[in-house]
Amino acid sequence: MYDIAVIGSGPAGISAVINLKILGKNFIWFSSRKVSKKVSQAQLVKNYPGLPEISGEGLEKSFLEHCECMGIKPEEKIVTGIYETDGHFTLLAQDNAYEAKAVILCIGTEDKKPLEGEEKFVGRGVSYCATCDGFLYKGKTIAIYCTDKKFEHEIEFLCGLAKTAYVFPMYKNYEIKSANAQIILKQPTRLTGDTKLKKIEYKGGETEADGLFILKGAVSPTVLMRGLSVADGHISAERDCSTNIAGIFAAGDCTGRPYQYAKATGEGNVAAHSAVEYIAGLK
Amino acid sequence: MYDIAVIGSGPAGISAVINLKILGKNFIWFSSRKVSKKVSQAQLVKNYPGLPEISGEGLEKSFLEHCECMGIKPEEKIVTGIYETDGHFTLLAQDNAYEAKAVILCIGTEDKKPLEGEEKFVGRGVSYCATCDGFLYKGKTIAIYCTDKKFEHEIEFLCGLAKTAYVFPMYKNYEIKSANAQIILKQPTRLTGDTKLKKIEYKGGETEADGLFILKGAVSPTVLMRGLSVADGHISAERDCSTNIAGIFAAGDCTGRPYQYAKATGEGNVAAHSAVEYIAGLK
């Protein structure tokens, strides 16, 4: 059992883990990529105090070096579900389960809007993990909604299992080689079905499938953790970064505007301190 | 009329002014010293993301260089009162008055606890400004409560005006030369009087005086701005750094724990954005 699980490798997550390390906590840090895409793509950051006129790439490098010199390494897995059990939390990340007393969500805002119906069909046709659930769809018809080229190997893996795969690649320069892949260059809009997913609607059409794999960097907050209070697409957090669920904290862009590096590192720091205080109070 | 006045030169104030500069606002930045004493005295700061293992002095240098390279210069004055008039604010700083549409308080936590009775006698015997109010006490008996050696020249100035001066130097290595200065090495505890200040009580004694000069880096929030909501000695602020008074924002240590550089720069950033949004809504 970990003390604290931190999800996300943007400035908020990095600030949280640096503080947890200093505070001597037993933590696990989930990261789906090196640092947030938003950071590394920024041309010029002028308002991160102490590092004037730095490029996004330079800031990413500084953040990573800070973690490295403290011996902090991320677990490169995507967490797809958090469940509360017996006063602690179980996190599902691809094919593994992890336990923690508290969780800090630093999941940003990219790709977070769920599809209409997505929450309803999680575990009933909607999956986020090719390696965990792919075998359930051997010889069947599946759909794959993918937002990032880096997940293309998972598309190929799923196509290898399925009879037919309708693939929605939501990124540039896709290279999907499987012969049974049917590419649809439209944004899926709605998932329908009875108790189980049946149809994927998209702009100008629809297709039936036994399952839909959603391959993106992070799942939306309400899919990740049922019952989490969200307003306008952002996790509702207090000044101490606590949420409506005791033991779940949130920091960075996922808590709302302004989307700023300093705001995110500040909240990561506060969330780490609040989470440590929370677990100290559990005994 | 300035758009925004920022008070305080710690990490929160620095982050606020960097953002206001980028956002093209017409602002004034009040600073009583180079950077916060708390920052420059820190031995080793390990949790300011992007600047691992930096000394407090090094962090101060980085912050100041950031301001310098953006052409941001502080007004080295201590603000002693903020008054709301006709939908804007008037700030008194030593012998000058400044007007601003919004104010960001980044006043830290040091030296902020007011003396018992201090608020009651402001303007009725209690003064924060030797040059503004000293002449009122020519040939009279005054008391001087001073928390920092850097204000010693003001002590000498006041002693030169007064008949007798009871001086409470609350710092090491004081060098007060005036012949009429009576040094009392005790902490003042309470101010009493009827409508006007009459007595200064201290541990083990009391003295009568016509006026008391309080020379410290910043006045306490409730003395600075009447009606400001404070809890446990901290300014009550929302997540967007707004306070109970529209147009007054607060950021950094003055809003509460954790007292952390990243939290302070984060809040300075948020306060700047909130203040800019506030003044945009005034038109």
Side-chain angles (χ1 to χ4, degrees):
Chain A
M1 169 95 65
Y2 292 97
D3 288 327
I4 296 163
V6 178
I7 306 176
S9 49
I14 282 169
S15 182
V17 296
I18 287 170
N19 282 280
L20 293 177
K21 180 80 180 185
I22 292 169
L23 295 166
K25 294 297 148 188
N26 175 26
F27 66 92
I28 183 163
W29 178 29
F30 293 100
S31 149
S32 65
R33 48 173 88 88
K34 285 235 150 181
V35 175
S36 111
K37 206 155 113 187
K38 227 189 242 173
V39 176
S40 58
Q41 287 177 346
Q43 276 215 314
L44 185 62
V45 179
K46 296 176 84 166
N47 67 344
Y48 188 77
L51 293 171
E53 303 272 323
I54 195 165
S55 66
E57 223 171 295
L59 194 56
E60 175 176 22
K61 198 165 160 272
S62 303
F63 284 163
L64 285 177
E65 281 172 2
H66 198 150
C67 292
E68 267 160 37
C69 83
M70 294 180 81
I72 305 172
K73 277 182 196 151
E75 188 77 19
E76 290 197 13
K77 283 189 174 145
I78 298 170
V79 177
T80 54
I82 305 171
Y83 305 89
E84 198 168 0
T85 39
D86 299 330
H88 68 266
F89 300 96
T90 300
L91 293 87
L92 298 185
Q94 283 154 244
D95 44 358
N96 291 297
Y98 302 83
E99 295 188 321
K101 294 174 193 166
V103 179
I104 301 174
L105 303 174
C106 309
I107 55 178
T109 56
E110 297 171 273
D111 304 340
K112 291 311 174 305
K113 217 184 154 208
L115 300 173
E116 194 186 328
E118 181 178 327
E119 287 176 48
K120 184 181 170 188
F121 295 113
V122 173
R124 291 186 285 168
V126 167
S127 172
Y128 300 97
C129 178
T131 49
C132 334
D133 300 333
F135 70 96
L136 296 170
Y137 298 93
K138 212 169 173 177
K140 293 192 176 176
T141 298
I142 59 166
I144 305 165
Y145 170 54
C146 182
T147 65
D148 197 315
K149 192 171 168 64
K150 70 176 178 179
F151 301 120
E152 242 176 21
H153 66 281
E154 298 195 29
I155 297 177
E156 302 290 0
F157 168 76
L158 288 167
C159 289
L161 290 166
K163 188 179 68 175
T164 308
Y166 297 101
V167 183
F168 299 83
M170 296 291 113
Y171 52 90
K172 285 175 194 169
N173 308 321
Y174 64 87
E175 295 167 278
I176 298 157
K177 297 181 192 85
S178 302
N180 63 338
Q182 304 211 13
I183 309 295
I184 302 172
L185 295 175
K186 302 281 179 188
Q187 168 69 42
T189 50
R190 198 159 79 106
L191 310 182
T192 58
D194 190 8
T195 54
K196 220 184 143 302
L197 173 72
K198 200 176 165 200
K199 258 186 224 170
I200 295 104
E201 296 179 11
Y202 53 89
K203 282 173 190 158
E206 57 174 48
T207 184
E208 289 199 6
D210 298 309
L212 169 68
F213 284 84
I214 298 178
L215 307 177
K216 55 183 187 178
V219 302
S220 62
T222 47
V223 171
L224 193 61
M225 175 101 214
R226 297 224 170 186
L228 191 65
S229 175
V230 169
D232 291 331
H234 297 122
I235 301 170
S236 304
E238 301 296 322
R239 271 185 70 81
D240 65 357
C241 293
S242 61
T243 67
N244 65 315
I245 299 172
I248 303 280
F249 300 84
D253 287 0
C254 67
T255 70
R257 293 180 181 275
Y259 298 152
Q260 297 278 326
Y261 305 112
K263 182 242 185 202
T265 58
E267 289 189 359
N269 179 308
V270 172
H273 285 84
S274 296
V276 167
E277 210 172 282
Y278 168 80
I279 61 170
L282 285 180
K283 284 152 202 168
Chain B
M1 167 97 63
Y2 292 97
D3 288 328
I4 296 164
V6 177
I7 306 176
S9 50
I14 283 169
S15 183
V17 295
I18 287 171
N19 282 280
L20 293 178
K21 180 80 180 184
I22 292 170
L23 295 167
K25 294 298 150 190
N26 174 26
F27 65 92
I28 184 163
W29 178 28
F30 293 100
S31 150
S32 66
R33 48 173 88 90
K34 283 234 150 182
V35 174
S36 110
K37 204 155 118 187
K38 227 189 236 173
V39 174
S40 59
Q41 287 177 347
Q43 276 216 314
L44 185 62
V45 179
K46 295 176 85 167
N47 68 344
Y48 188 76
L51 293 170
E53 303 272 325
I54 194 164
S55 66
E57 223 170 297
L59 195 55
E60 176 177 21
K61 200 165 157 272
S62 303
F63 284 163
L64 285 178
E65 280 172 1
H66 198 150
C67 292
E68 267 162 36
C69 82
M70 294 180 80
I72 305 171
K73 276 181 197 153
E75 188 76 21
E76 291 198 12
K77 283 191 172 143
I78 298 170
V79 177
T80 53
I82 305 172
Y83 305 89
E84 199 170 0
T85 38
D86 300 329
H88 68 265
F89 301 96
T90 299
L91 293 87
L92 298 185
Q94 286 156 241
D95 45 359
N96 290 299
Y98 302 83
E99 295 189 320
K101 295 174 192 167
V103 179
I104 301 175
L105 303 173
C106 307
I107 57 179
T109 57
E110 299 170 271
D111 303 340
K112 293 310 175 306
K113 217 183 153 208
L115 300 173
E116 194 185 329
E118 181 177 329
E119 286 175 49
K120 185 181 169 189
F121 296 112
V122 172
R124 291 188 284 170
V126 167
S127 172
Y128 301 97
C129 178
T131 48
C132 333
D133 300 332
F135 72 94
L136 294 171
Y137 298 94
K138 212 167 171 179
K140 295 191 174 180
T141 298
I142 59 168
I144 305 165
Y145 170 54
C146 181
T147 66
D148 198 316
K149 192 171 168 66
K150 70 175 175 178
F151 301 118
E152 241 174 23
H153 65 282
E154 299 196 27
I155 296 178
E156 302 291 359
F157 168 76
L158 288 167
C159 290
L161 289 169
K163 188 180 68 176
T164 308
Y166 297 101
V167 183
F168 299 83
M170 295 291 113
Y171 52 89
K172 286 175 192 166
N173 307 321
Y174 63 87
E175 296 167 276
I176 297 158
K177 296 179 193 89
S178 301
N180 63 336
Q182 305 211 14
I183 309 295
I184 302 174
L185 294 175
K186 302 281 180 189
Q187 168 68 43
T189 50
R190 198 159 79 106
L191 310 182
T192 57
D194 191 5
T195 53
K196 224 186 141 297
L197 173 75
K198 197 176 168 198
K199 258 186 224 172
I200 294 108
E201 295 179 11
Y202 53 88
K203 284 174 189 158
E206 59 175 46
T207 184
E208 289 199 8
D210 298 309
L212 168 68
F213 284 84
I214 299 179
L215 307 177
K216 55 183 188 177
V219 302
S220 61
T222 47
V223 172
L224 194 60
M225 175 100 214
R226 297 228 168 181
L228 191 65
S229 175
V230 169
D232 290 332
H234 296 122
I235 300 170
S236 303
E238 301 296 322
R239 271 185 69 79
D240 65 356
C241 294
S242 62
T243 67
N244 66 313
I245 299 172
I248 302 280
F249 300 85
D253 287 2
C254 65
T255 70
R257 292 181 181 275
Y259 299 150
Q260 298 278 324
Y261 306 111
K263 184 242 185 202
T265 57
E267 289 189 358
N269 180 309
V270 171
H273 285 84
S274 296
V276 167
E277 210 171 282
Y278 167 79
I279 60 169
L282 285 181
K283 285 152 202 168

